[in-house]
Amino acid sequence: MASLKDVATLAGVSLMTVSRVINQAEHVSPVTRERVQRAIDELNYVPDYSARKIRSKGVKASTIGILALDTATTPYSVEMLLAIEQTARERGWNSFLINILSADDAERAVNQLLAQRPDGIIFTTMGLRHVELPAVLKNHRVVLANCLSDEAGLPSYIPDDFNGQYQATRYLIERGYRRPLCLWLPGEALASRPRRDGFEQAWREAGLELEAVTQYHMQWGDAHYPELAERVAAHCKEGKADFDVLICGNDRIAFVAYQTLLARGIAIPEQVAVLGFDNLVGVGDLFLPPLTTVQLPHDEIGRQAALHLIDGVNSGGVKRLPCPLVKRVSL
């Protein structure tokens, strides 16, 4: 990594001049300022804003930097960030968060994070997704939380969507449900296939005919959630549904389904049971009746990702964390 001295040498100026340019100080000519900036850009120099950290002999200031792609700006996965911060505090570490506001914003966010010289980095996303690790991070200690990468050996903590749906399906089968209607996430969503696979394996293992099950995938994008109401309504005639349990790809789908069923006078769970997935923060108990759903382990994902860095774990690869069933009234 380039140093302040490297920038000064390339620009042909003193260390003090480079420092003045970086800190936006006055009394630097525009020509000199431009020459220093060109050297910074050419060397990919990242200013060390953490140089003022107090470092006593034998004492290491340990800090986790969090890159948050939609994690902090949406209400669905903030528990992951809180768990990272809390775990760091418990172990005497510091943490700070940098938001990635868009795909074009990644370079700015990464540079801002590296300027703080973190001892480890956690890359988080809202919703399980595939990420391409910025090249500049490949020489740093990075852990992925709720996302996957093609980088071999990179540690990644994600939900066990397959087993969560598998166990929930076994539960509803044990309760006697045999005519499900399934409304899955879009096929492009990484969580969609394992959840559907978990359902189908449990269904087949119970000796039930998968061909008789009606299954739909919603289209990609939030704008398509209302369209699911039409899917549900098509299976409801004269206050009766032709299914006995509605399996929803997430709790937002369940929310649309609830409105559709209840508006048609179909009682939950007396006539139709409903199963969600995610256990959205502060939402599950607000369904009337309360929604039975599968818990996304965001809290545990954040905790394990933080401990991976704090405890100096060297192993890599994907680690899937359990998604327990949250039993309420709807199933």
Side-chain angles (χ1 to χ4, degrees):
M1 182 176 292
S3 66
L4 194 73
K5 184 177 180 180
D6 295 330
V7 175
T9 300
L10 182 60
V13 299
S14 67
L15 291 173
M16 182 61 71
T17 298
V18 176
S19 179
R20 286 172 176 165
V21 171
I22 290 172
N23 291 293
Q24 303 295 316
E26 298 180 357
H27 311 301
V28 179
S29 71
V31 173
T32 300
R33 190 180 299 278
E34 182 179 354
R35 190 162 70 245
V36 171
Q37 189 59 56
R38 282 202 304 269
I40 289 173
D41 293 341
E42 183 175 337
L43 294 170
N44 292 318
Y45 173 70
V46 178
D48 186 2
Y49 296 125
S50 67
R52 296 178 183 176
K53 284 182 179 177
I54 298 176
R55 292 180 181 265
S56 301
K57 185 176 181 180
V59 177
K60 184 176 184 298
S62 301
T63 302
I64 295 174
I66 307 165
L67 279 171
L69 180 56
D70 298 332
T71 325
T73 54
T74 56
Y76 306 119
S77 50
V78 292
E79 286 183 324
M80 188 162 28
L81 303 178
L82 293 173
I84 294 170
E85 180 179 0
Q86 183 177 6
T87 303
R89 284 184 183 180
E90 290 172 354
R91 295 299 191 92
W93 281 48
N94 302 315
S95 65
F96 66 92
L97 182 145
I98 303 293
N99 282 306
I100 301 175
L101 302 176
S102 67
D104 298 330
D105 187 50
E107 183 177 356
R108 186 277 314 166
V110 169
N111 287 338
Q112 185 178 349
L113 179 136
L114 292 179
Q116 308 301 323
R117 297 298 196 271
D119 299 285
I121 299 165
I122 299 178
F123 195 123
T124 72
T125 62
M126 190 287 292
L128 182 65
R129 65 181 81 177
H130 182 275
V131 296
E132 184 174 347
L133 196 69
V136 70
L137 293 181
K138 293 180 181 179
N139 294 324
H140 295 267
R141 292 195 67 211
V142 178
V143 176
L144 301 183
N146 207 37
C147 49
L148 297 165
S149 169
D150 290 333
E151 294 293 320
L154 193 64
S156 176
Y157 291 87
I158 66 171
D160 189 349
D161 289 286
F162 174 90
N163 199 52
Q165 191 73 63
Y166 174 84
Q167 296 297 339
T169 303
R170 290 189 61 178
Y171 175 73
L172 69 86
I173 292 172
E174 290 169 2
R175 292 179 63 83
Y177 295 100
R178 295 295 184 272
R179 293 181 291 113
L181 172 63
C182 302
L183 300 178
W184 301 115
L185 294 172
E188 304 95 317
L190 286 187
S192 184
R193 189 70 251 179
R195 292 181 189 181
R196 178 166 177 167
D197 287 347
F199 161 77
E200 292 184 350
Q201 180 164 323
W203 199 255
R204 286 194 299 265
E205 286 179 359
L208 300 172
E209 292 294 331
L210 192 59
E211 292 73 16
V213 178
T214 302
Q215 304 190 68
Y216 300 109
H217 283 273
M218 68 173 286
Q219 295 187 57
W220 186 269
D222 288 353
H224 294 286
Y225 274 95
E227 296 171 5
L228 297 172
E230 299 177 9
R231 290 285 193 186
V232 176
H235 292 269
C236 300
K237 304 295 182 184
E238 299 179 353
K240 295 182 180 180
D242 62 10
F243 53 94
D244 62 0
V245 60
L246 185 60
I247 299 174
C248 302
N250 64 13
D251 290 353
R252 298 173 73 189
I253 294 175
F255 181 78
V256 174
Y258 258 56
Q259 296 180 81
T260 307
L261 292 171
L262 296 176
R264 282 159 176 74
I266 298 174
I268 303 170
E270 291 80 5
Q271 291 176 267
V272 171
V274 181
L275 172 66
F277 205 118
D278 288 358
N279 196 30
L280 294 180
V281 178
V283 174
D285 286 318
L286 299 181
F287 282 81
L288 295 175
L291 177 67
T292 294
T293 187
V294 180
Q295 173 77 56
L296 276 179
H298 285 150
D299 182 87
E300 191 62 16
I301 288 173
R303 178 170 175 77
Q304 291 303 320
L307 289 175
H308 191 105
L309 294 172
I310 294 169
D311 292 342
V313 178
N314 292 320
S315 62
V318 177
K319 294 146 180 90
R320 292 177 171 82
L321 302 182
C323 299
L325 181 65
V326 180
K327 300 176 183 177
R328 297 194 180 102
V329 180
S330 70
L331 175 60

